[in-house]
Amino acid sequence: MRLSINKSRGLWWTISSIIILVGIISMVISSLNPNIKAPLRPSLDFIGGTRLQFVRDCGKPGNCDQPIDINVVREVAKSQGLGDSSIQLISENGQENGITIRTKNLETEQRSNLQNALTEKIGTFDPQKNQIDSVGATLGKELFTSGILALIVSFVGITVYMAFRFQLDYALLAIVALFHDILVTTGVFSILGLVFGVEVDSLFIVALLTITGFSVNDTVVIYDRIRETIKLHPEQPIAEVVDDAVNQTLSRSINTTLTTLLTLTAIFLFGGETLHYFSLALIVGFVMGAYSSIFIASTLLIWWRERTENYSVETPISSQES
C-alpha cells in the first residue's frame, strides 16, 4: 500500500484542528471550573495538600462483602469539613476495595478522625496498605515551574539541533508538529479531568518530555530521507519527494510505534495506580507523535516549500561548514 499524504493534507489538518480545538475548549472550561481553576486538574504534586489511601482488610470475615459506595465516602468527607476533596476508588485484587482522597493539608488528628469515620461506614482498613503523603504548596509550585522550564529547554534544544542538522524551516515545522502532540495530549487529559476527575502529577511532565523525544525522532527519520532524495533528484517536485520519503519510512514508523505501544499497554493494564495515567499519557502522545510525523510535519514541509519555491537545494549547515 502506498500513501499519498499530500492529496489529503487538508483532511489531516482538519482532523488535528478539531481534536486540538476540543482540547482547548475543555481547558478553558476547566480553568473556569471553581473546583479546578486550571487547564488540567492538578494533583497534590502541584498545589500541595494531603493524599490518603486506605485499603480494606479483606482477611477479616465479611469486611469486603459489600462494594465501597463512593457516595458514602463523600458524605463522610463532607461531615469532616472536606467536601471539596477529590475522591477515587482504587482496585485491590480485582475489586474496588480501596479509596484515595486528595484534600487540603490535614493535621494528624484530622487524619485520624477521617479514618475512624470511614472505618465505621465502609469497613476496617489494612494498616500495612494505608498511605498518607503530604506536599507543601511551595514545593508544588517549584515542581510545576521546573517542569515547564524543562519543556521549554527541550523545545529550544530540539530547534537548535534540527536547524543545525537540516535547515531552519525544517526545525520550525518540526516544532509545530511537537506542539501538536503536546496540545492533543494535554487536551485529552483536560477532558479526562473534567469528566472522570483524572489529575496530572509530576509524572505527566515527564511523559510530555518523553513524547517530545519520541515524536522528533520519527520526524528526523522522515526529514532525513527527504533531504537525501532531494540531493539525488533536485528536479523532482517536493510533493513527490515527501510522499516517497514517507512511504520508504512508513513500515519503520509503524513497527516502532506498535512495539512501544505493546509495552505501554502492559504497563497501563498491570503497572499499578502510580503508572496508570503516566502510561496513558505516553500512549496518547506516541500515537499522536507517529501521526504528526507522517501527516503534519511532512505535509507542512510540502506546503511551505511550494509557497517559497525553495526546495531545489538541500545542503545542511554541517556540510557547508565542512
Side-chain angles (χ1 to χ4, degrees):
M1 183 183 72
R2 177 179 172 81
L3 284 179
S4 181
I5 61 170
N6 186 54
K7 289 182 178 179
S8 303
R9 71 187 185 191
L11 174 63
W12 316 132
W13 294 354
T14 301
I15 292 173
S16 293
S17 298
I18 292 173
I19 295 174
I20 291 173
L21 181 61
V22 171
I24 291 174
I25 292 173
S26 175
M27 286 187 274
V28 171
I29 296 173
S30 181
S31 298
L32 297 176
N33 189 316
N35 294 324
I36 303 176
K37 299 179 181 179
L40 303 174
R41 186 183 291 270
S43 72
L44 298 184
D45 285 1
F46 298 125
I47 60 176
T50 301
R51 183 183 73 91
L52 305 100
Q53 178 176 301
F54 300 125
V55 179
R56 292 193 298 191
D57 186 355
C58 294
K60 293 188 175 183
N63 197 48
C64 298
D65 289 350
Q66 298 295 325
I68 296 177
D69 187 344
I70 194 169
N71 292 320
V72 173
V73 179
R74 290 195 176 102
E75 289 176 3
V76 173
K78 188 175 181 179
S79 68
Q80 299 289 318
L82 306 173
D84 58 348
S85 302
S86 172
I87 301 172
Q88 290 180 308
L89 299 180
I90 58 175
S91 297
E92 175 74 13
N93 298 324
Q95 297 180 337
E96 291 182 332
N97 283 319
I99 54 175
T100 297
I101 301 175
R102 292 176 171 85
T103 185
K104 61 184 180 181
N105 285 314
L106 300 179
E107 301 295 334
T108 303
E109 183 179 354
Q110 292 175 301
R111 299 173 187 172
S112 299
N113 291 339
L114 176 61
Q115 183 174 348
N116 293 336
L118 289 170
T119 299
E120 292 179 5
K121 294 291 185 179
I122 63 177
T124 304
F125 299 116
D126 187 345
Q128 295 183 349
K129 296 180 180 179
N130 293 345
Q131 296 180 14
I132 299 176
D133 303 312
S134 295
V135 177
T138 301
L139 178 59
K141 292 179 181 178
E142 289 178 358
L143 283 172
F144 178 77
T145 304
S146 298
I148 297 300
L149 180 61
L151 276 174
I152 293 173
V153 170
S154 68
F155 272 81
V156 172
I158 289 170
T159 303
V160 173
Y161 167 77
M162 294 288 287
F164 180 80
R165 178 165 178 176
F166 299 99
Q167 289 183 350
L168 182 59
D169 56 353
Y170 281 86
L172 296 178
L173 295 176
I175 291 299
V176 171
L178 286 181
F179 270 115
H180 167 278
D181 304 337
I182 298 299
L183 282 173
V184 171
T185 305
T186 53
V188 168
F189 270 77
S190 177
I191 295 170
L192 291 176
L194 278 175
V195 179
F196 300 107
V198 173
E199 299 176 342
V200 296
D201 55 16
S202 55
L203 282 178
F204 184 74
I205 301 294
V206 177
L208 293 183
L209 289 168
T210 308
I211 289 166
T212 59
F214 180 89
S215 179
V216 78
N217 179 66
D218 260 2
T219 304
V220 165
V221 171
I222 295 175
Y223 277 0
D224 195 51
R225 189 59 57 91
I226 292 172
R227 182 182 61 180
E228 291 176 359
T229 304
I230 290 179
K231 283 183 179 180
L232 294 174
H233 307 286
E235 75 289 346
Q236 189 174 359
I238 187 65
E240 293 181 12
V241 170
V242 173
D243 276 351
D244 287 344
V246 168
N247 282 279
Q248 291 170 19
T249 58
L250 185 62
S251 59
R252 175 209 174 273
S253 298
I254 293 175
N255 291 336
T256 301
T257 303
L258 288 179
T259 303
T260 308
L261 289 180
L262 286 174
T263 305
L264 291 175
T265 302
I267 296 174
F268 176 76
L269 295 175
F270 309 110
E273 186 75 16
T274 304
L275 298 176
H276 193 66
Y277 293 114
F278 171 70
S279 56
L280 179 60
L282 291 180
I283 289 172
V284 174
F286 282 15
V287 170
M288 285 298 103
Y291 172 84
S292 67
S293 297
I294 296 171
F295 298 107
I296 303 300
S298 300
T299 54
L300 284 175
L301 182 63
I302 296 173
W303 170 79
W304 176 252
R305 288 302 174 93
E306 286 178 343
R307 282 176 58 89
T308 59
E309 296 182 352
N310 182 31
Y311 54 84
S312 60
V313 179
E314 287 291 322
T315 306
I317 296 174
S318 55
S319 298
Q320 292 175 357
E321 293 177 347
S322 59

